[in-house]
């Protein structure tokens, strides 16, 4: 099992990381990773945010968005991911730095992201966020 987190900045942008290693090296993906033994999904999401982008968070700030479970979604094997959303203000960007699997942190406007720029099946998350913003 894995977790991914859509970190939405000022309600219009999202933090993506440029992957430092395969699969999808050099593509933009959501921060996330594997759930460790005896760890809840929310705890894993908080840990991954800290490890990959240096964001301190607490589980109560996370909102479950979707489940990514399509066969073949990860070339390393069948993996199911629980996707969360956390909303932050742009001031939080000053404290963030790339770590773990992240080569660098990228802040993108949600409406401007294209499918070919995103690794794994994280495009589905971007589409959902785009739809939510167009409905509000």
């Amino acid at each position: 099992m894995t977790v991914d987190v859509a970190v939405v900045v000022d309600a219009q942008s999202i933090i993506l990381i440029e992957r430092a290693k395969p699969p999808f090296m050099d593509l933009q993906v959501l921060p996330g990773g594997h759930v460790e033994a005896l760890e809840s999904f929310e705890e894993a999401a908080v840990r991954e945010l800290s490890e990959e982008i240096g964001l301190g968070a607490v589980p109560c700030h996370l909102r479950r968005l979707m489940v990514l479970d399509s066969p073949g979604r990860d070339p390393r094997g069948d993996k199911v991911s629980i996707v969360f959303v956390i909303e932050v203000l742009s001031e939080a960007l000053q404290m963030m730095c790339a770590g773990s699997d992240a080569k660098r942190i990228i802040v993108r406007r949600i409406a401007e992201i294209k499918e070919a720029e995103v690794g794994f099946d994280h495009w589905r998350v971007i589409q959902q966020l785009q739809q939510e913003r167009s409905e509000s």
Side-chain angles (χ1 to χ4, degrees), residues 1-56:
M1 295 295 291
T2 63
V3 294
D4 293 298
V5 186
V7 181
V8 176
V9 181
D10 294 336
Q12 295 301 315
S13 298
I14 189 169
I15 293 175
L16 298 170
I17 62 168
E18 184 178 325
R19 278 193 54 90
K21 60 184 186 179
F24 302 107
M25 186 165 66
D26 298 328
L27 287 180
Q28 298 170 24
V29 299
L30 299 170
H34 293 90
V35 178
E36 295 180 356
L38 304 177
E39 191 174 48
S40 71
F41 296 122
E42 290 83 359
E43 291 166 339
V46 166
R47 177 182 49 75
E48 289 291 342
L49 287 173
S50 176
E51 290 175 0
E52 292 195 350
I53 63 172
L55 177 64

Side-chain angles (χ1 to χ4, degrees), residues 8-113:
V8 176
V9 181
D10 294 336
Q12 295 301 315
S13 298
I14 189 169
I15 293 175
L16 298 170
I17 62 168
E18 184 178 325
R19 278 193 54 90
K21 60 184 186 179
F24 302 107
M25 186 165 66
D26 298 328
L27 287 180
Q28 298 170 24
V29 299
L30 299 170
H34 293 90
V35 178
E36 295 180 356
L38 304 177
E39 191 174 48
S40 71
F41 296 122
E42 290 83 359
E43 291 166 339
V46 166
R47 177 182 49 75
E48 289 291 342
L49 287 173
S50 176
E51 290 175 0
E52 292 195 350
I53 63 172
L55 177 64
V58 292
C60 66
H61 293 148
L62 300 170
R63 170 176 62 94
R64 284 191 193 195
L65 180 67
M66 64 178 20
V67 175
L68 298 174
D69 61 355
S70 300
R73 65 172 296 273
D74 189 325
R76 298 169 294 185
D78 288 334
K79 308 235 186 246
V80 174
S81 183
I82 307 298
V83 181
F84 295 93
V85 174
I86 187 168
E87 303 266 349
V88 300
L89 299 175
S90 58
E91 290 81 19
L93 296 172
Q94 299 170 10
M95 309 257 202
M96 295 182 197
C97 63
S100 185
D101 296 344
K103 185 185 297 183
R104 67 185 177 114
I105 296 171
I106 302 162
V107 181
R108 302 277 312 273
R109 291 194 51 82
I110 295 167
E112 297 172 357
I113 300 170

